[in-house]
Amino acid sequence: TVGLNVVGASPAVALSAAAALMCMVYSLGDVSGAHFNPAVTVALVVRGACGPAEGLAYIATQLISGVCAGAATAFFHAGSAHKDVTISVKPGANYTFFQGAICELFFTFVLAYTVLAVATTKKPLSQTTSQKFYFALSIAACVVAGGFAVGSVSGGELNPAVALGLTVLGAVSPGGGGG
């Protein structure tokens, strides 16, 4: 989702990525625990909600998936109206690597903390339903908040697998300009 939004120069990357993530959490949360982000998986391992060996397997899968997504998205980039634009993971104009890294770390922490708060705690006695309808919505809201808040500073990926995928996209389909 992120790669195709970047290739198409969409102004709504954060909304689109958050909506896709929300759908995936709703549909796969009960299947795999919705492990889509290596940083969140590390937080789950540290919390004890996921074993280290299982966490490493998820992280390897997430990173391999990011590479595959980046390579697949390169196909669309090569035929897009923006095929001459170089896609890279770097800080926005007039921002340093350090500023971008701090922004990514902060909002990735917000995302991981939210996952820990909503997905790894016991339900309160006042909650009469077992439905966890707000989990995916609150997690997606973090992506929207982070994407809009720091997108122009760091790119707002908030996910190492997505950043790796975009790096692969830029390497496979380098474009011709400085984008």
Side-chain angles (χ1 to χ4, degrees):
T1 303
V2 173
L4 290 174
N5 274 281
V6 170
V7 164
S10 171
V13 177
L15 289 173
S16 178
L21 177 62
M22 183 171 59
C23 292
M24 292 187 315
V25 170
Y26 278 132
S27 62
L28 297 172
D30 289 338
V31 176
S32 68
H35 287 263
F36 302 116
N37 184 328
V40 173
T41 298
V42 168
L44 292 166
V45 169
V46 170
R47 169 85 163 82
C50 176
E54 185 180 19
L56 284 174
Y58 279 127
I59 291 169
T61 302
Q62 293 156 353
L63 295 175
I64 291 167
S65 297
V67 168
C68 292
T73 305
F75 171 77
F76 294 98
H77 182 243
S80 78
H82 306 284
K83 65 183 173 202
D84 294 331
V85 175
T86 301
I87 295 174
S88 60
V89 178
K90 63 182 180 181
N94 302 318
Y95 292 101
T96 66
F97 174 82
F98 182 73
Q99 290 169 318
I102 292 297
C103 289
E104 285 291 313
L105 284 171
F106 178 76
F107 276 98
T108 301
F109 169 81
V110 169
L111 175 61
Y113 177 79
T114 300
V115 170
L116 293 177
V118 301
T120 66
T121 57
K122 293 182 181 182
K123 76 175 186 168
L125 294 175
S126 61
Q127 185 176 337
T128 58
T129 179
S130 62
Q131 178 70 17
K132 301 171 184 173
F133 66 90
Y134 58 90
F135 284 20
L137 183 60
S138 61
I139 293 165
C142 291
V143 173
V144 172
F148 281 119
V150 300
S152 65
V153 178
S154 67
E157 284 85 18
L158 315 182
N159 183 330
V162 169
L164 179 60
L166 291 174
T167 301
V168 168
L169 166 59
V172 172
S173 181

